[in-house]
Amino acid sequence: QMAGKSVLNNWDVVFNMTLDKINNVLKSQYDTLKKNDTQYGGKITADTAIQGANIATTLLSYALQKFDINYGYPELQFLVNESNTGNLNMQITSGTVQNGNRYVGENNDTDRQNLEALATLNSLPTSDIKQETIDGKAKLVLEYYDAATPLDTTATLQAVIKIEQVQGLVDDNDNILSVVLNMQKGTFQPKNIQIDMSDQQKVAFSAAVQAYFAEQPVTFIINSLDLTGITTLADLKPHQFLFKALKTQQGNEMLQLFIQTNQRNAFDYSQTFIDSSVTDPIPEGAEASLMINSRILFSGILPESLQGGWKFTGNNPGNNSTAWNGSFSGTNVQGSVDLSSLDSDVF
């Protein structure tokens, strides 16, 4: 609060940490868990098909790629940029890619002869030409893949996730608070994969990986806070929170955590800001700051914390832009007074 002014835009708590610090913490967590967390990871199978020019006028042609990817523990890095995104890199621990082709023709002698010529050209038996029903019509199809190529050990799978799409919610256990990233909310591309891919194939690859995570939902837990057995005031117990990466006018970059406590729901992402009078939420020389709304301080935290008969009342200013204050209305005082020196005959 500044000179009787409330600056948190009605958020209960705002926590600020320098972006360098939070990214260093995430990097340290990644270096530790990528070797020790055997539970996280999985396998992605992604197939892409990009239509090319027709063959012999009537045959439709498609360039195929089939990815079988085993991925490991992801590394998250928050960024400050115009699109307000974060990078998620997952190590590809092993995997293969296969390039292939698919040709589709009508079920007639001319297209069959053309497909047989393509099969012969690629040293394939003509029996590889199959009949498929496509859009309710019988078609002739020739499809084949080259031998699988192992992916390089430096390959990674990168996801670009908007920070505004990342919301932390309490797990089913109300005493465990987890920050999670939903893998369905990202665009994906391979890095250092050393496989030629056109721009169209990269877009198709991203869509295929997105489809995989949509069919097999995966959430990545950044970190968790277990409050089991810890006595805490309701107004100090986080319920929901939103992230935002911020670059101040002074050029300082930080990650802000906008927190609602005591079962209050988070506001819309468009409300993740504090008053412009706070030009830099982190004091010079510090790495973090914690800002607590005077509303929860005077209406909940202090009244519920005071013991020994103290009576404290928070005073509501009636608007969100003015800071709350409070007052003591009384207490019980116990003690002994020695009156032996008084003359009992004198009143």
mmCIF file of all heavy atoms in Angstrom, residues 9-35:
data_model
loop_
_atom_site.group_PDB
_atom_site.id
_atom_site.type_symbol
_atom_site.label_atom_id
_atom_site.label_comp_id
_atom_site.label_asym_id
_atom_site.label_seq_id
_atom_site.Cartn_x
_atom_site.Cartn_y
_atom_site.Cartn_z
ATOM 1 N N ASN A 9 -4.972 -3.931 -7.292
ATOM 2 C CA ASN A 9 -6.077 -4.192 -8.212
ATOM 3 C C ASN A 9 -7.011 -5.266 -7.665
ATOM 4 O O ASN A 9 -7.548 -6.090 -8.405
ATOM 5 C CB ASN A 9 -5.538 -4.589 -9.598
ATOM 6 C CG ASN A 9 -6.598 -4.569 -10.685
ATOM 7 O OD1 ASN A 9 -7.539 -3.785 -10.619
ATOM 8 N ND2 ASN A 9 -6.451 -5.436 -11.679
ATOM 9 N N ASN A 10 -7.165 -5.261 -6.342
ATOM 10 C CA ASN A 10 -8.067 -6.146 -5.590
ATOM 11 C C ASN A 10 -7.584 -7.589 -5.516
ATOM 12 O O ASN A 10 -8.318 -8.467 -5.046
ATOM 13 C CB ASN A 10 -9.489 -6.111 -6.148
ATOM 14 C CG ASN A 10 -10.531 -6.370 -5.057
ATOM 15 O OD1 ASN A 10 -10.318 -6.016 -3.895
ATOM 16 N ND2 ASN A 10 -11.640 -6.978 -5.411
ATOM 17 N N TRP A 11 -6.364 -7.900 -5.986
ATOM 18 C CA TRP A 11 -5.800 -9.231 -5.752
ATOM 19 C C TRP A 11 -5.432 -9.354 -4.276
ATOM 20 O O TRP A 11 -5.033 -8.378 -3.635
ATOM 21 C CB TRP A 11 -4.560 -9.438 -6.619
ATOM 22 C CG TRP A 11 -4.875 -9.596 -8.071
ATOM 23 C CD1 TRP A 11 -4.906 -8.615 -9.018
ATOM 24 C CD2 TRP A 11 -5.212 -10.810 -8.737
ATOM 25 N NE1 TRP A 11 -5.239 -9.134 -10.235
ATOM 26 C CE2 TRP A 11 -5.433 -10.490 -10.113
ATOM 27 C CE3 TRP A 11 -5.348 -12.135 -8.339
ATOM 28 C CZ2 TRP A 11 -5.789 -11.444 -11.059
ATOM 29 C CZ3 TRP A 11 -5.691 -13.092 -9.283
ATOM 30 C CH2 TRP A 11 -5.907 -12.737 -10.618
ATOM 31 N N ASP A 12 -5.538 -10.554 -3.742
ATOM 32 C CA ASP A 12 -5.207 -10.758 -2.326
ATOM 33 C C ASP A 12 -3.705 -10.628 -2.080
ATOM 34 O O ASP A 12 -3.279 -9.976 -1.127
ATOM 35 C CB ASP A 12 -5.690 -12.135 -1.863
ATOM 36 C CG ASP A 12 -7.204 -12.241 -1.845
ATOM 37 O OD1 ASP A 12 -7.874 -11.187 -1.806
ATOM 38 O OD2 ASP A 12 -7.718 -13.373 -1.860
ATOM 39 N N VAL A 13 -2.919 -11.283 -2.926
ATOM 40 C CA VAL A 13 -1.464 -11.284 -2.772
ATOM 41 C C VAL A 13 -0.829 -11.241 -4.157
ATOM 42 O O VAL A 13 -1.332 -11.879 -5.087
ATOM 43 C CB VAL A 13 -0.979 -12.553 -2.020
ATOM 44 C CG1 VAL A 13 0.543 -12.553 -1.893
ATOM 45 C CG2 VAL A 13 -1.632 -12.658 -0.649
ATOM 46 N N VAL A 14 0.261 -10.500 -4.278
ATOM 47 C CA VAL A 14 1.045 -10.515 -5.509
ATOM 48 C C VAL A 14 2.495 -10.803 -5.127
ATOM 49 O O VAL A 14 3.085 -10.082 -4.312
ATOM 50 C CB VAL A 14 0.951 -9.178 -6.273
ATOM 51 C CG1 VAL A 14 1.863 -9.219 -7.504
ATOM 52 C CG2 VAL A 14 -0.482 -8.905 -6.688
ATOM 53 N N PHE A 15 3.036 -11.883 -5.697
ATOM 54 C CA PHE A 15 4.430 -12.254 -5.456
ATOM 55 C C PHE A 15 5.229 -11.965 -6.718
ATOM 56 O O PHE A 15 4.809 -12.296 -7.825
ATOM 57 C CB PHE A 15 4.532 -13.740 -5.105
ATOM 58 C CG PHE A 15 5.944 -14.230 -4.930
ATOM 59 C CD1 PHE A 15 6.690 -13.849 -3.823
ATOM 60 C CD2 PHE A 15 6.528 -15.063 -5.866
ATOM 61 C CE1 PHE A 15 7.991 -14.297 -3.659
ATOM 62 C CE2 PHE A 15 7.828 -15.509 -5.716
ATOM 63 C CZ PHE A 15 8.561 -15.127 -4.605
ATOM 64 N N ASN A 16 6.371 -11.322 -6.552
ATOM 65 C CA ASN A 16 7.219 -10.944 -7.679
ATOM 66 C C ASN A 16 8.604 -11.555 -7.500
ATOM 67 O O ASN A 16 9.179 -11.495 -6.414
ATOM 68 C CB ASN A 16 7.354 -9.418 -7.760
ATOM 69 C CG ASN A 16 6.011 -8.713 -7.684
ATOM 70 O OD1 ASN A 16 5.266 -8.674 -8.648
ATOM 71 N ND2 ASN A 16 5.706 -8.137 -6.515
ATOM 72 N N MET A 17 9.143 -12.143 -8.563
ATOM 73 C CA MET A 17 10.507 -12.677 -8.531
ATOM 74 C C MET A 17 11.191 -12.348 -9.849
ATOM 75 O O MET A 17 10.571 -12.433 -10.915
ATOM 76 C CB MET A 17 10.503 -14.186 -8.302
ATOM 77 C CG MET A 17 11.899 -14.805 -8.295
ATOM 78 S SD MET A 17 11.927 -16.581 -7.883
ATOM 79 C CE MET A 17 11.707 -16.487 -6.100
ATOM 80 N N THR A 18 12.457 -11.953 -9.773
ATOM 81 C CA THR A 18 13.181 -11.614 -10.993
ATOM 82 C C THR A 18 13.180 -12.804 -11.941
ATOM 83 O O THR A 18 13.272 -13.962 -11.521
ATOM 84 C CB THR A 18 14.620 -11.194 -10.682
ATOM 85 O OG1 THR A 18 15.307 -12.293 -10.048
ATOM 86 C CG2 THR A 18 14.655 -9.976 -9.778
ATOM 87 N N LEU A 19 13.076 -12.513 -13.232
ATOM 88 C CA LEU A 19 12.984 -13.585 -14.219
ATOM 89 C C LEU A 19 14.248 -14.440 -14.234
ATOM 90 O O LEU A 19 14.182 -15.661 -14.404
ATOM 91 C CB LEU A 19 12.728 -12.987 -15.601
ATOM 92 C CG LEU A 19 12.006 -13.890 -16.598
ATOM 93 C CD1 LEU A 19 10.638 -14.300 -16.076
ATOM 94 C CD2 LEU A 19 11.854 -13.182 -17.941
ATOM 95 N N ASP A 20 15.409 -13.819 -14.055
ATOM 96 C CA ASP A 20 16.655 -14.584 -13.999
ATOM 97 C C ASP A 20 16.617 -15.592 -12.861
ATOM 98 O O ASP A 20 17.028 -16.746 -13.016
ATOM 99 C CB ASP A 20 17.850 -13.646 -13.824
ATOM 100 C CG ASP A 20 18.186 -12.897 -15.104
ATOM 101 O OD1 ASP A 20 17.705 -13.316 -16.171
ATOM 102 O OD2 ASP A 20 18.923 -11.898 -15.023
ATOM 103 N N LYS A 21 16.105 -15.155 -11.714
ATOM 104 C CA LYS A 21 16.059 -16.023 -10.541
ATOM 105 C C LYS A 21 15.116 -17.205 -10.771
ATOM 106 O O LYS A 21 15.479 -18.363 -10.518
ATOM 107 C CB LYS A 21 15.599 -15.226 -9.318
ATOM 108 C CG LYS A 21 15.520 -16.043 -8.030
ATOM 109 C CD LYS A 21 16.874 -16.532 -7.580
ATOM 110 C CE LYS A 21 16.786 -17.237 -6.234
ATOM 111 N NZ LYS A 21 18.093 -17.756 -5.784
ATOM 112 N N ILE A 22 13.901 -16.931 -11.271
ATOM 113 C CA ILE A 22 12.939 -18.019 -11.456
ATOM 114 C C ILE A 22 13.415 -18.984 -12.527
ATOM 115 O O ILE A 22 13.266 -20.200 -12.395
ATOM 116 C CB ILE A 22 11.533 -17.470 -11.777
ATOM 117 C CG1 ILE A 22 10.493 -18.585 -11.696
ATOM 118 C CG2 ILE A 22 11.478 -16.791 -13.119
ATOM 119 C CD1 ILE A 22 10.265 -19.147 -10.328
ATOM 120 N N ASN A 23 14.022 -18.477 -13.596
ATOM 121 C CA ASN A 23 14.521 -19.373 -14.643
ATOM 122 C C ASN A 23 15.691 -20.205 -14.155
ATOM 123 O O ASN A 23 15.861 -21.362 -14.543
ATOM 124 C CB ASN A 23 14.904 -18.574 -15.884
ATOM 125 C CG ASN A 23 13.691 -18.173 -16.711
ATOM 126 O OD1 ASN A 23 12.655 -18.826 -16.654
ATOM 127 N ND2 ASN A 23 13.817 -17.103 -17.477
ATOM 128 N N ASN A 24 16.530 -19.629 -13.278
ATOM 129 C CA ASN A 24 17.638 -20.390 -12.689
ATOM 130 C C ASN A 24 17.112 -21.508 -11.786
ATOM 131 O O ASN A 24 17.650 -22.619 -11.763
ATOM 132 C CB ASN A 24 18.563 -19.471 -11.907
ATOM 133 C CG ASN A 24 19.421 -18.607 -12.801
ATOM 134 O OD1 ASN A 24 19.604 -18.904 -13.982
ATOM 135 N ND2 ASN A 24 19.926 -17.513 -12.272
ATOM 136 N N VAL A 25 16.040 -21.202 -11.047
ATOM 137 C CA VAL A 25 15.425 -22.217 -10.186
ATOM 138 C C VAL A 25 14.851 -23.345 -11.031
ATOM 139 O O VAL A 25 15.031 -24.533 -10.733
ATOM 140 C CB VAL A 25 14.328 -21.586 -9.306
ATOM 141 C CG1 VAL A 25 13.515 -22.669 -8.588
ATOM 142 C CG2 VAL A 25 14.950 -20.635 -8.289
ATOM 143 N N LEU A 26 14.157 -22.993 -12.104
ATOM 144 C CA LEU A 26 13.582 -24.001 -12.988
ATOM 145 C C LEU A 26 14.671 -24.831 -13.664
ATOM 146 O O LEU A 26 14.516 -26.036 -13.859
ATOM 147 C CB LEU A 26 12.695 -23.330 -14.031
ATOM 148 C CG LEU A 26 11.407 -22.693 -13.505
ATOM 149 C CD1 LEU A 26 10.716 -21.891 -14.597
ATOM 150 C CD2 LEU A 26 10.464 -23.751 -12.950
ATOM 151 N N LYS A 27 15.772 -24.164 -14.043
ATOM 152 C CA LYS A 27 16.885 -24.878 -14.673
ATOM 153 C C LYS A 27 17.500 -25.878 -13.694
ATOM 154 O O LYS A 27 17.814 -27.019 -14.057
ATOM 155 C CB LYS A 27 17.944 -23.886 -15.132
ATOM 156 C CG LYS A 27 19.180 -24.523 -15.799
ATOM 157 C CD LYS A 27 18.822 -25.217 -17.094
ATOM 158 C CE LYS A 27 20.053 -25.544 -17.935
ATOM 159 N NZ LYS A 27 20.981 -26.437 -17.237
ATOM 160 N N SER A 28 17.679 -25.467 -12.443
ATOM 161 C CA SER A 28 18.227 -26.362 -11.430
ATOM 162 C C SER A 28 17.300 -27.543 -11.197
ATOM 163 O O SER A 28 17.737 -28.692 -11.068
ATOM 164 C CB SER A 28 18.443 -25.595 -10.118
ATOM 165 O OG SER A 28 18.914 -26.453 -9.104
ATOM 166 N N GLN A 29 15.977 -27.270 -11.153
ATOM 167 C CA GLN A 29 15.004 -28.347 -10.984
ATOM 168 C C GLN A 29 15.072 -29.315 -12.153
ATOM 169 O O GLN A 29 15.028 -30.538 -11.968
ATOM 170 C CB GLN A 29 13.604 -27.746 -10.891
ATOM 171 C CG GLN A 29 12.484 -28.774 -10.872
ATOM 172 C CD GLN A 29 11.118 -28.128 -10.806
ATOM 173 O OE1 GLN A 29 10.798 -27.441 -9.845
ATOM 174 N NE2 GLN A 29 10.315 -28.341 -11.835
ATOM 175 N N TYR A 30 15.205 -28.768 -13.356
ATOM 176 C CA TYR A 30 15.270 -29.607 -14.557
ATOM 177 C C TYR A 30 16.510 -30.494 -14.527
ATOM 178 O O TYR A 30 16.435 -31.693 -14.802
ATOM 179 C CB TYR A 30 15.281 -28.717 -15.791
ATOM 180 C CG TYR A 30 15.641 -29.441 -17.072
ATOM 181 C CD1 TYR A 30 14.735 -30.293 -17.689
ATOM 182 C CD2 TYR A 30 16.896 -29.278 -17.657
ATOM 183 C CE1 TYR A 30 15.062 -30.963 -18.858
ATOM 184 C CE2 TYR A 30 17.233 -29.941 -18.828
ATOM 185 C CZ TYR A 30 16.309 -30.785 -19.420
ATOM 186 O OH TYR A 30 16.645 -31.439 -20.568
ATOM 187 N N ASP A 31 17.669 -29.914 -14.188
ATOM 188 C CA ASP A 31 18.912 -30.683 -14.170
ATOM 189 C C ASP A 31 18.841 -31.842 -13.189
ATOM 190 O O ASP A 31 19.422 -32.906 -13.418
ATOM 191 C CB ASP A 31 20.088 -29.768 -13.813
ATOM 192 C CG ASP A 31 20.421 -28.795 -14.936
ATOM 193 O OD1 ASP A 31 20.038 -29.063 -16.085
ATOM 194 O OD2 ASP A 31 21.040 -27.748 -14.653
ATOM 195 N N THR A 32 18.103 -31.635 -12.089
ATOM 196 C CA THR A 32 17.977 -32.689 -11.078
ATOM 197 C C THR A 32 16.969 -33.760 -11.493
ATOM 198 O O THR A 32 17.246 -34.960 -11.448
ATOM 199 C CB THR A 32 17.563 -32.088 -9.724
ATOM 200 O OG1 THR A 32 18.553 -31.151 -9.303
ATOM 201 C CG2 THR A 32 17.414 -33.183 -8.672
ATOM 202 N N LEU A 33 15.798 -33.305 -11.934
ATOM 203 C CA LEU A 33 14.709 -34.242 -12.165
ATOM 204 C C LEU A 33 14.808 -34.985 -13.487
ATOM 205 O O LEU A 33 14.248 -36.070 -13.628
ATOM 206 C CB LEU A 33 13.369 -33.504 -12.087
ATOM 207 C CG LEU A 33 13.020 -32.934 -10.708
ATOM 208 C CD1 LEU A 33 11.671 -32.244 -10.743
ATOM 209 C CD2 LEU A 33 13.019 -34.037 -9.655
ATOM 210 N N LYS A 34 15.503 -34.423 -14.468
ATOM 211 C CA LYS A 34 15.574 -35.123 -15.755
ATOM 212 C C LYS A 34 16.308 -36.461 -15.626
ATOM 213 O O LYS A 34 16.118 -37.368 -16.437
ATOM 214 C CB LYS A 34 16.256 -34.258 -16.809
ATOM 215 C CG LYS A 34 17.745 -34.059 -16.619
ATOM 216 C CD LYS A 34 18.341 -33.246 -17.752
ATOM 217 C CE LYS A 34 19.832 -33.029 -17.582
ATOM 218 N NZ LYS A 34 20.414 -32.225 -18.678
ATOM 219 N N LYS A 35 17.141 -36.577 -14.593
ATOM 220 C CA LYS A 35 17.865 -37.825 -14.359
ATOM 221 C C LYS A 35 17.150 -38.728 -13.351
ATOM 222 O O LYS A 35 17.308 -39.948 -13.387
ATOM 223 C CB LYS A 35 19.275 -37.523 -13.848
ATOM 224 C CG LYS A 35 20.132 -36.719 -14.824
ATOM 225 C CD LYS A 35 21.486 -36.426 -14.225
ATOM 226 C CE LYS A 35 22.357 -35.618 -15.180
ATOM 227 N NZ LYS A 35 23.686 -35.297 -14.600
#
